[in-house]
């Protein structure tokens, strides 16, 4: 079966750096997405990786290793507003999106 | 700005009634839209894929006669929850794909449905 694993919850301090890991086993691979979802709101797109390596976008970076079935989302200079759930999603060989359960990130002052 | 508009944002209805949720693509044509459901503290669950001009494709376990999907135009898809029950209370979110294969899904703001 298809599976995506992320930690359920993480805690970090304002101003610090946090890395949220995602491992996946899917039927084929056509890209990996990271989304941010605040409580009670819909997800918003953060990043997309299809080739190995690091994609940087401001305070957020996302890394992919296809051979390891692994990705991480790196958040720098954490702000209180970064408290949210972070969803990892993989597009499989049928271009279906497989979603992880999300990682709830708690930022403490 | 938002590229997918969803309405209403929240709705409370009585058990046994039906509720319609609209999802509109703004400034682009969406031949395919996706309907998700999310229960508290759980991940997104794809309910169905809505295809313009044809029948929706439902995921396993989703009752097509209960969750009616209509995609009559390139900018509008609707989800009707028929004969709603309290267990249908959830967060319903529509999304659309804009662009090619590497493009992300863009989500509407979601509809919080509460069935009393």
């Amino acid at each position: 079966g298809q599976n995506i694993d992320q930690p359920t919850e993480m805690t970090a301090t304002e101003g610090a750096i946090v890395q949220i890991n995602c491992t996946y086993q899917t039927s084929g691979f056509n890209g990996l997405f990271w989304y941010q979802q605040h409580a009670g709101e819909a997800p918003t797109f953060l990043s997309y990786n299809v080739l190995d390596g690091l994609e940087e976008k401001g305070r957020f970076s996302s890394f992919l290793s296809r051979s390891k079935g692994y990705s991480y989302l790196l958040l720098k200079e954490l702000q209180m507003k970064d408290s949210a759930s972070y969803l990892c999603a993989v597009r499989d060989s049928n271009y279906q999106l497989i979603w992880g359960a999300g990682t709830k990130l708690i930022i403490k002052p | 700005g938002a590229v997918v508009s969803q309405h209403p944002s929240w709705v409370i209805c009585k058990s046994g009634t039906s509720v319609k949720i609209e999802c509109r693509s703004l400034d682009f044509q969406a031949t395919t839209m996706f309907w998700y459901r999310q229960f508290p503290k759980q991940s997104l669950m794809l309910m169905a894929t809505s295809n313009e001009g044809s029948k929706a494709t439902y995921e396993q376990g989703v009752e097509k006669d209960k969750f009616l999907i209509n995609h009559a135009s390139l900018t509008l898809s609707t989800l009707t929850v028929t004969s709603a029950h309290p267990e249908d209370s959830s967060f319903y979110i529509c999304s659309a794909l804009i662009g090619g294969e590497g493009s992300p899904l863009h989500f509407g703001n979601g509809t919080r449905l509460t069935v009393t």
Side-chain angles (χ1 to χ4, degrees):
Chain A
Q2 309 204 85
N3 192 50
I4 295 184
D5 288 316
Q6 309 177 230
T8 303
E9 186 174 298
M10 299 182 70
T11 302
T13 305
E14 188 177 17
I17 300 173
V18 71
Q19 177 175 311
I20 303 174
N21 296 325
C22 170
T23 57
Y24 62 89
Q25 301 91 39
T26 57
S27 302
F29 178 85
N30 280 298
L32 183 145
F33 299 85
W34 283 97
Y35 284 81
Q36 180 191 60
Q37 186 178 24
H38 285 100
E41 299 180 9
T44 55
F45 169 71
L46 288 179
S47 69
Y48 169 69
N49 295 71
V50 67
L51 299 176
D52 291 350
L54 187 69
E55 294 284 340
E56 297 187 80
K57 194 183 289 188
R59 294 189 298 114
F60 294 4
S61 303
S62 58
F63 171 83
L64 174 68
S65 168
R66 288 171 295 172
S67 62
K68 296 182 179 179
Y70 168 70
S71 173
Y72 67 72
L73 180 69
L74 190 72
L75 292 76
K76 304 176 184 177
E77 301 170 16
L78 286 170
Q79 302 175 9
M80 297 303 293
K81 67 179 182 179
D82 297 330
S83 292
S85 286
Y86 291 85
L87 309 176
C88 174
V90 173
R91 186 167 281 159
D92 69 10
S93 57
N94 293 321
Y95 288 90
Q96 299 298 311
L97 266 184
I98 312 302
W99 292 88
T103 299
K104 182 179 180 181
L105 178 62
I106 300 168
I107 309 296
K108 294 185 176 180
Chain B
V3 295
V4 178
S5 174
Q6 187 171 342
H7 178 81
S9 299
W10 59 271
V11 58
I12 301 172
C13 71
K14 290 186 177 181
S15 186
T17 61
S18 295
V19 174
K20 179 185 283 188
I21 303 170
E22 293 187 347
C23 181
R24 295 182 184 273
S25 58
L26 306 177
D27 300 323
F28 73 97
Q29 295 179 335
T31 55
T32 303
M33 290 187 178
F34 304 88
W35 285 96
Y36 286 87
R37 180 169 54 181
Q38 187 177 35
F39 292 104
K41 299 184 180 181
Q42 294 187 22
S43 186
L44 295 169
M45 292 178 55
L46 179 65
M47 297 177 67
T49 302
S50 170
N51 302 296
E52 188 270 334
S54 64
K55 291 183 179 181
T57 303
Y58 290 83
E59 295 300 301
Q60 190 173 9
V62 178
E63 300 174 59
K64 61 182 180 181
D65 294 329
K66 179 172 181 63
F67 298 99
L68 301 179
I69 291 174
N70 184 284
H71 195 156
S73 77
L74 287 171
T75 59
L76 174 65
S77 175
T78 61
L79 168 67
T80 302
V81 183
T82 63
S83 187
H85 290 283
E87 57 264 32
D88 297 325
S89 298
S90 187
F91 191 47
Y92 293 85
I93 318 172
C94 72
S95 65
L97 187 65
I98 307 169
E101 295 174 354
S103 303
L105 285 180
H106 289 267
F107 289 88
N109 287 331
T111 298
R112 176 76 56 193
L113 170 63
T114 302
V115 185
T116 60

